[in-house]
Amino acid sequence: MTSPLRLEAITPDNFDTAVGLRVRPEQEHLVAPVVKSLAEAYVHPATAWPRLILDGDRPVGFLMAFFGLDWRGDGSCTDVRSGLWRLNIAADARGRGYGRFAVESVAAEIRRRGGTRLTTTWHPGPDGPEGFYLGLGFRPTGESSGGQTVGELCLRQVASDVPGVDATPPRIR
């Protein structure tokens, strides 16, 4: 990473750039194309948070987070979650820390909104991103969603009993 990383909301000015992002061909079966994510964001505007990932002015990826989602979908709101819905890193940008930046950015936004856990899903199997997520500290919940493994990352601040000691949230591994 050579320039400051940042997230940018999807606008008419960067829409074509966002939908033009492509993952490696061998990963296409693991994640929906950006255009599908943006369609889902359009029909779920209260929960979806789509963002372009930029390294300076260079688009390197796309993420879509969700906030305050009724996980069970039954209207009971007994299990409300926030997390990472989609992560697409451009084929020529893999292995440079952009995925970690995306997860850290979503974690920061969840914390800002008062949340204490980050939920995501991934396709199981040797070609899936499980190692990436486990390496960041996610732990499988034992659930599945749409045939995908559900994982969570605890974002709780560790309270200190010692006055004057900083209880800053731990960084993602």
Side-chain angles (χ1 to χ4, degrees):
M1 293 179 280
T2 58
S3 303
L5 296 178
R6 62 190 168 89
L7 299 180
E8 189 173 284
I10 307 301
T11 67
D13 292 334
N14 64 18
F15 173 81
D16 288 333
T17 298
V19 299
L21 282 171
R22 298 287 181 266
V23 298
R24 289 183 177 169
E26 65 272 15
Q27 296 174 316
E28 289 175 349
H29 71 285
L30 299 173
V31 66
V34 173
V35 70
K36 179 175 183 193
S37 296
L38 292 175
E40 289 171 325
Y42 177 80
V43 298
H44 300 286
T47 56
W49 193 68
R51 295 292 186 268
L52 192 60
I53 305 167
L54 298 166
D55 186 348
D57 291 329
R58 179 179 170 233
V60 294
F62 169 85
L63 71 80
M64 187 160 72
F66 61 91
F67 301 107
L69 179 72
D70 178 7
W71 188 258
R72 295 175 195 228
D74 61 5
S76 68
C77 294
T78 57
D79 187 7
V80 176
R81 301 185 193 187
S82 297
L84 182 62
W85 192 345
R86 296 273 161 61
L87 179 57
N88 303 51
I89 300 299
D92 64 346
R94 293 232 358 198
R96 298 187 184 146
Y98 300 127
R100 173 183 293 273
F101 169 78
V103 172
E104 288 175 350
S105 297
V106 171
E109 184 63 21
I110 290 170
R111 283 187 190 108
R112 189 187 73 73
R113 294 173 183 233
T116 59
R117 65 181 173 166
L118 190 165
T119 302
T120 195
T121 62
W122 60 80
H123 283 279
D127 61 342
E130 181 173 65
F132 168 74
Y133 288 115
L134 295 179
L136 292 177
F138 282 86
R139 294 295 163 245
T141 65
E143 304 165 283
S144 67
S145 176
Q148 297 185 31
T149 301
V150 177
E152 287 193 344
L153 180 66
C154 180
L155 304 177
R156 292 187 194 277
Q157 292 187 0
V158 179
S160 172
D161 294 331
V162 180
V165 174
D166 183 18
T168 304
R171 280 190 46 86
I172 294 172
R173 290 191 241 171

